[in-house]
Amino acid sequence: MEDRTRVPPARLFFRTERLEADQVSALGLDAPGGLVGLLAGRGDAVSWVRHGRGLVGWGRLLEIEARGEDRVEELRAAWREVVYASWWRDPLVRPGTGPVALGAITFSARSAQRSVLLVPRVLIGLDDEGAWVTTAAPSGQEPAAAEEVVAGLLARGDASRTQPPARPPAVEPATVAVGSRSDDDYLAGLRAVQERMRAGEADKVVIARDVLVTPAQHLPTGDLLARLAHGYPSCWTFSVDGMVGASPELLVRIRQRRLESRVLAGTARRRPGTGAEREAEAQRLAAWLEADGKNNREHALARASAIEALEPLCSVVEAPERFVLTLPNVLHLASDVRGVVAGDTGALSLVGALHPTAAVGGTPTPAAVALIDELEGMDRGRYAGPVGWVDWHGEGEWCIALRSAELSGQGAGPGAPARVFGGGGIMPDSDPEDELAETRAKMRPVLSALGAG
């Protein structure tokens, strides 16, 4: 039986091994989509993949959970205890090898949902230097060898091909139902928020909504991830404890004391199209976005918020000029913030300092979050919260859980609807109808993956 206790075990044993060229080929990892392809048919999948590189795994060995205001610090401290109590073999010693936990943290300290760190029994990684597998077991047990993992995958049939399908198979149309509030209620909520902003309570407030999507057929988590990774390869395709998505927004990456963070705020919606038509539309929308006053003010607030949060933790913070990030469904104003961390500050400490950003909360943050609690009309759970991974020495990568859904089981299907989220930054001069349309555009990646768009 797998250990799901909240109390960290006295000891775990991790084993990292390089995958040889013939194993990489047999698993299809040298083909586009090969890493996520290993998750086909799996409901217990964990994932952190971008441009075909990253981490995927399965088999929950350890679960650490926390709630409340100190949830990030409690997770950080508990993970450190696990690392101190455990031992491992890792001849590679690079980001993502050795002991690694994947996590999903609630947006709000007042959420009824929990924040978690998970340790999978099997974790397969791929970067520009090659592939590896890390296996984990409780004290007294030997972790599986790499050749056992490869043999199991080949026998299962997930990786018996050398070329994954160019496009995931189509799914039957799904049904979409009202979530926490109707469109009319959402619009009324936006207008109420704007009245409070005009009264001086906040400069910007991010208001989200949800819909319930019921696929006509069962879609295991791994299959849903393959559809997201194919459609949005430049985003981080993630899956942790039922929270899945393809996020474009990097909250923080830290490697050898150097950090990166990407701020997205300011959005232009794209319409379906192909070829030259799509390219012309993207150029037109980019020019509009760069010149639009409302979107520029929204982005400036989010950018300043990130820099302000990082400066006390860094010896150097740099923020080059913003740019336009083009995605299949939207365009965003984007800023990449870089810095050098002071002391031994790790990824989870940075997560705690940065969250919630102005891009998902608002400005000033305490006032904006208070208005969200009062007027948004739902518990976001882990939507717009931090999601990512941390390794044994505190390095890792964390995004904001955007373009995402909460699954009620090991996937979505006729008896297990998915809760799909979308939100937008509301300014005093925002057009509520336009903001509603923006949430629909932001939901499109997950809706399409579920067969609802």
Side-chain angles (χ1 to χ4, degrees), residues 204 206 235-236 247-250 261-267 295 298-299 302-303 306 323-327 330-336 357-360 400 402-403 442:
K204 169 191 170 182
V206 179
C235 294
W236 285 265
S247 178
E249 189 154 0
L250 180 68
S261 181
R262 173 165 287 181
V263 178
L264 302 182
T267 304
N295 281 290
E298 181 184 345
H299 185 82
R303 175 186 167 104
F323 59 96
V324 175
L325 177 68
T326 301
L327 298 169
V330 293
L331 282 74
H332 289 299
L333 291 177
S335 287
D336 284 341
T357 69
V360 293
I400 298 172
L402 304 175
R403 315 299 188 265
K442 290 176 175 177

Side-chain angles (χ1 to χ4, degrees), residues 123-159:
L123 195 63
I124 295 179
L126 178 67
D127 62 17
D128 291 340
E129 296 181 50
W132 68 91
V133 59
T134 298
T135 53
S139 176
Q141 297 182 24
E142 182 76 13
E147 60 185 25
E148 295 177 61
V149 174
V150 173
L153 285 168
L154 294 174
R156 188 171 182 265
D158 292 350

Side-chain angles (χ1 to χ4, degrees), residues 17 79 98 109 197 269 314 329 421:
E17 296 178 83
W79 174 239
M197 284 194 287
R269 302 186 304 278
C314 297
N329 58 325
F421 302 90

Side-chain angles (χ1 to χ4, degrees), residues 194 197-198 293-294 297 426-432 435:
Q194 288 179 299
M197 284 194 287
R198 292 181 190 121
K294 178 263 182 186
R297 291 194 302 276
I426 310 304
M427 304 289 285
D429 56 347
S430 294
D431 178 351
E435 296 294 344

Side-chain angles (χ1 to χ4, degrees), residues 65-409:
E65 70 174 59
R67 288 181 167 86
E69 291 287 349
D70 296 327
R71 62 201 185 285
V72 179
E73 174 56 26
E74 288 177 12
L75 292 175
R76 187 200 65 80
W79 174 239
R80 178 168 287 188
E81 288 180 25
V82 171
V83 170
Y84 285 165
S86 300
W87 66 293
W88 57 93
R89 298 191 204 124
D90 177 13
L92 304 184
V93 193
R94 62 180 192 254
T97 66
V100 170
L102 292 96
I105 297 170
T106 58
F107 171 81
S108 172
R110 289 168 289 284
S111 175
Q113 294 192 25
R114 61 193 189 143
S115 301
V116 296
L117 286 178
L118 306 178
V119 176
R121 288 185 177 270
V122 178
L123 195 63
I124 295 179
L126 178 67
D127 62 17
D128 291 340
E129 296 181 50
W132 68 91
V133 59
T134 298
T135 53
S139 176
Q141 297 182 24
E142 182 76 13
E147 60 185 25
E148 295 177 61
V149 174
V150 173
L153 285 168
L154 294 174
R156 188 171 182 265
D158 292 350
S160 58
R161 69 220 184 278
T162 57
Q163 181 67 41
R167 179 181 296 274
V171 297
E172 297 178 33
T175 58
V176 181
V178 172
S180 301
R181 61 199 310 188
S182 68
D183 288 0
D184 287 343
D185 284 344
Y186 178 74
L187 290 171
L190 296 191
R191 295 184 181 103
V193 168
Q194 288 179 299
E195 288 180 10
R196 302 281 286 272
M197 284 194 287
R198 292 181 190 121
E201 293 189 35
D203 299 316
K204 169 191 170 182
V205 182
V206 179
I207 298 295
R209 56 189 285 266
D210 63 347
V211 297
L212 299 178
V213 180
T214 303
Q217 64 195 81
H218 178 59
L219 285 175
T221 303
D223 296 5
L224 180 58
L225 293 168
R227 296 173 65 81
L228 288 168
H230 178 269
Y232 296 83
S234 66
C235 294
W236 285 265
T237 301
F238 64 85
S239 172
V240 181
D241 195 42
M243 198 68 193
V244 302
S247 178
E249 189 154 0
L250 180 68
L251 180 62
V252 66
R253 173 193 294 123
I254 179 169
R255 292 179 182 173
Q256 297 179 339
R257 295 184 57 218
R258 296 187 177 275
L259 72 82
E260 297 177 56
S261 181
R262 173 165 287 181
V263 178
L264 302 182
T267 304
R269 302 186 304 278
R270 303 189 70 180
R271 296 180 180 178
T274 58
E277 178 184 80
R278 287 275 284 177
E279 179 63 28
E281 180 210 43
Q283 292 179 8
R284 177 180 59 80
L285 289 174
W288 172 82
L289 195 57
E290 289 186 310
D292 183 69
K294 178 263 182 186
N295 281 290
N296 275 272
R297 291 194 302 276
E298 181 184 345
H299 185 82
L301 290 170
R303 175 186 167 104
S305 172
I307 294 170
E308 182 180 359
L310 288 172
E311 281 180 334
L313 300 171
C314 297
S315 57
V316 176
V317 176
E318 299 175 340
E321 289 297 313
R322 61 155 176 77
F323 59 96
V324 175
L325 177 68
T326 301
L327 298 169
N329 58 325
V330 293
L331 282 74
H332 289 299
L333 291 177
S335 287
D336 284 341
V337 182
R338 300 180 180 88
V340 178
V341 175
D344 61 352
T345 302
L348 282 169
S349 294
L350 291 166
V351 165
L354 284 167
H355 179 75
T357 69
V360 293
T363 307
T365 298
V369 170
L371 287 173
I372 291 170
D373 287 341
E374 180 183 350
L375 299 173
E376 190 170 68
M378 69 177 187
D379 182 347
R380 291 186 181 185
R382 291 172 292 197
Y383 165 72
V387 60
W389 62 269
V390 60
D391 66 15
W392 60 272
H393 50 102
E395 296 186 351
E397 293 183 338
W398 291 77
C399 277
I400 298 172
L402 304 175
R403 315 299 188 265
S404 59
E406 175 191 315
L407 307 182
S408 53

